[in-house]
């Protein structure tokens, strides 16, 4: 399951956003440090294509993709030295796939802010600095732990030593690892290192109805390898409390074509180059997320490890074709199912039936 850690300064709307996303009940208030422990929630990924398939196939069960969100206490300047509460929870999000960095882009005299004014660019830099310092602390410990082995067997561990020292040098310059121009292989190595500044980051600009695009533009200008999405967390929380019909009416009155939460989730998928494919097994329809370019045999392992080990071939159709035919059997009878091998790269919107031996 895709996991996303939510970080930001205190009182920027993290818990409000978390509650809107997960229909959770994290405490929300207008003073800093309301969140004193991490909150975890799972949310279904909005998928109109899955809804269309469900209408066409009438399956017994429909399972969408899901994202696990982890909301930690707000970070403040000096968190890496023990200030505030957020730093003690950073370890809980070191293994997430991506980070959602919530930045306050609204002005309100009713909601306290850790600074006297609202400056999205400055606020983002405060949090990023604390993430850099937290990563430096992790690297310093790792380097100290490995130093004896490096000196005892220098040739055997030369590549590891060079890599960790290079990471530390990048961080000491105040540069985020993901913005350091690392190669694809180096980025893959970062995935297992648990270093926060190497993870894909999505900026979530918490705006209000009166705000224009200027704060969002200021926030994202010059930041490499990030996505930016504007969300009105208070409005999303209000929408979440309504029934589906009331929500549709309210959105129509406000001329809102798409919820900000849907944009956020879609942006997280795009940030990680994820696509969605579908399976229909025993009248159960399920969506699965995999990275773009995933071979069919590897995608089979997403469903079950036995399918990957015993993979023979797969039969593939696009979701639109299956919606028209209303069954895989009909598509097969028409000759519209494509037979592919283990090296076929699954495409976004594919409906796949895996054939395998146990």
């Amino acid at each position: 399951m895709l996991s996303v850690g939510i970080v930001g300064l205190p009182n920027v709307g993290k818990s409000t956003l978390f509650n809107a996303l997960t229909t959770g009940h994290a405490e929300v208030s207008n003073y800093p440090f309301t969140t004193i422990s991490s909150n975890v929630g799972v949310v279904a990924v909005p998928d109109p294509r899955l809804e269309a398939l469900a209408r066409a196939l009438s399956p017994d069960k429909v399972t969408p993709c899901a994202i696990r969100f982890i909301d930690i206490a707000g970070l403040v300047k000096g968190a890496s030295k023990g200030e505030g509460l957020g730093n003690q929870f950073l370890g809980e999000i070191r293994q997430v796939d991506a980070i959602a960095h919530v930045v306050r882009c609204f002005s309100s005299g009713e909601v306290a802010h850790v600074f006297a004014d609202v400056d999205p660019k400055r606020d983002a830099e405060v949090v990023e600095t604390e993430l850099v310092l937290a990563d430096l602390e992790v690297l310093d410990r790792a380097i100290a732990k490995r130093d004896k082995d490096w000196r005892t067997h220098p040739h055997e561990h030369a590549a590891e030593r060079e890599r960790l020292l290079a990471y530390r040098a990048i961080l000491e310059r105040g540069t985020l690892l993901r913005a350091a121009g690392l190669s694809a292989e180096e980025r893959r190595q970062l995935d297992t290192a648990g270093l926060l500044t190497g993870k894909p980051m999505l900026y979530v600009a918490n705006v209000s109805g009166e705000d224009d695009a200027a704060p969002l533009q200021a926030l994202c200008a010059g930041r490499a390898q990030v996505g930016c999405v504007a969300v009105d967390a208070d409005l999303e929380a209000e929408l979440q409390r309504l029934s589906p019909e009331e929500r549709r009416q309210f959105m129509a009155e406000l001329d809102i074509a798409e919820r900000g939460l849907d944009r956020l989730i879609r942006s997280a998928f795009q940030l990680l180059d994820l696509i969605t494919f579908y399976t229909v097994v025993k009248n159960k329809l399920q969506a699965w997320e995999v990275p773009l370019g995933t071979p069919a045999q590897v995608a089979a392992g997403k469903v079950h490890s036995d399918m990957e080990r015993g993979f023979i071939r797969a039969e593939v159709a696009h979701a639109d074709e299956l919606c028209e035919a209303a069954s895989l059997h009909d598509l097969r009878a028409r000759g519209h199912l494509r037979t592919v091998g283990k090296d076929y790269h699954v495409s976004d919107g594919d409906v796949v039936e895996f054939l395998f031996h146990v």
Side-chain angles (χ1 to χ4, degrees):
M1 182 186 299
L2 173 66
S3 59
V4 176
I6 302 176
V7 303
L9 292 172
N11 265 39
V12 296
K14 295 188 290 74
S15 293
T16 301
L17 179 67
F18 175 85
N19 282 341
L21 280 165
T22 65
T23 321
H25 301 286
E27 187 177 354
V28 178
S29 188
N30 62 355
Y31 53 88
F33 305 121
T34 301
T35 301
I36 59 174
S37 62
S38 59
N39 298 299
V40 181
V42 176
V43 58
V45 176
D47 189 343
R49 203 163 42 201
L50 180 67
E51 295 171 5
L53 283 169
R55 288 192 297 271
L57 303 178
S58 299
D60 295 331
K61 184 178 180 181
V62 179
T63 305
C65 295
I67 297 181
R68 184 168 64 101
F69 284 95
I70 304 172
D71 169 34
I72 70 167
L75 296 169
V76 295
K77 186 175 182 179
S80 59
K81 295 180 173 59
E83 296 293 330
L85 298 167
N87 192 53
Q88 62 186 294
F89 303 111
L90 283 177
E92 299 182 30
I93 62 169
R94 288 200 176 275
Q95 301 308 314
V96 299
D97 299 296
I99 291 175
H101 182 174
V102 182
V103 182
R104 179 169 169 169
C105 293
F106 65 90
S107 298
S108 173
E110 298 178 359
V111 181
H113 193 43
V114 293
F115 295 109
D117 62 337
V118 175
D119 182 339
K121 186 173 183 293
R122 176 208 57 208
D123 293 356
E125 289 171 351
V126 168
V127 171
E128 288 168 358
T129 297
E130 296 308 317
L131 297 181
V132 166
L133 293 172
D135 276 358
L136 274 171
E137 184 180 335
V138 169
L139 274 176
D140 284 342
R141 288 200 303 267
I143 289 170
K145 184 177 180 180
R146 298 293 294 148
D147 185 61
K148 182 178 179 180
D149 284 342
W150 290 350
R151 286 186 283 107
T152 305
H153 306 285
H155 297 296
E156 181 180 345
H157 301 294
E160 178 191 52
R161 179 179 183 275
E162 181 180 355
R163 183 173 70 253
L164 294 186
L165 291 178
Y167 291 163
R168 184 168 69 179
I170 291 169
L171 292 169
E172 286 175 339
R173 295 196 297 270
T175 301
L176 305 179
L177 289 172
R178 69 173 172 278
L182 301 178
S183 67
E185 177 58 31
E186 288 170 329
R187 290 196 300 272
R188 280 193 292 271
Q189 291 169 344
L190 278 179
D191 285 344
T192 60
L195 295 173
L196 295 164
T197 63
K199 296 183 181 299
M201 180 178 283
L202 175 68
Y203 286 110
V204 183
N206 188 7
V207 300
S208 72
E210 296 79 26
D211 292 315
D212 58 23
L216 180 62
Q217 293 171 353
L219 173 65
C220 298
R223 283 180 162 78
Q225 297 178 326
V226 296
C228 295
V229 60
V231 176
D232 185 335
D234 282 339
L235 174 62
E236 294 298 331
E238 185 176 353
L239 288 171
Q240 195 73 346
R241 289 190 288 268
L242 301 176
S243 69
E245 181 57 34
E246 290 173 330
R247 190 180 304 139
R248 281 191 292 270
Q249 292 177 0
F250 190 28
M251 289 176 64
E253 290 173 5
L254 296 178
D255 196 25
I256 299 174
E258 181 183 32
R259 293 192 65 180
L261 298 185
D262 292 351
R263 292 197 305 274
L264 191 163
I265 294 170
R266 189 175 64 249
S267 296
F269 261 57
Q270 292 171 347
L271 187 68
L272 294 166
D273 287 330
L274 295 174
I275 63 169
T276 306
F277 75 93
Y278 307 91
T279 57
V280 185
V281 179
K282 295 181 180 179
N283 206 32
K284 296 179 181 179
L285 171 65
Q286 183 156 356
W288 309 87
E289 80 279 354
V290 292
L292 179 68
T294 297
Q297 184 172 9
V298 177
K302 182 78 175 181
V303 181
H304 199 287
S305 57
D306 287 347
M307 291 186 176
E308 183 173 5
R309 284 194 297 267
F311 183 91
I312 301 173
R313 64 184 184 277
E315 293 184 325
V316 180
H318 193 272
D320 293 342
E321 296 174 307
L322 184 53
C323 284
E324 292 179 7
S327 78
L328 285 171
H329 176 77
D330 286 348
L331 278 179
R332 187 178 292 107
R334 299 177 192 178
H336 290 173
L337 277 180
R338 306 186 305 280
T339 300
V340 300
K342 62 181 181 181
D343 296 327
Y344 169 78
H345 288 181
V346 175
S347 296
D348 188 44
D350 275 353
V351 181
V352 187
E353 183 172 3
F354 296 105
L355 288 85
F356 64 101
H357 57 76
V358 180

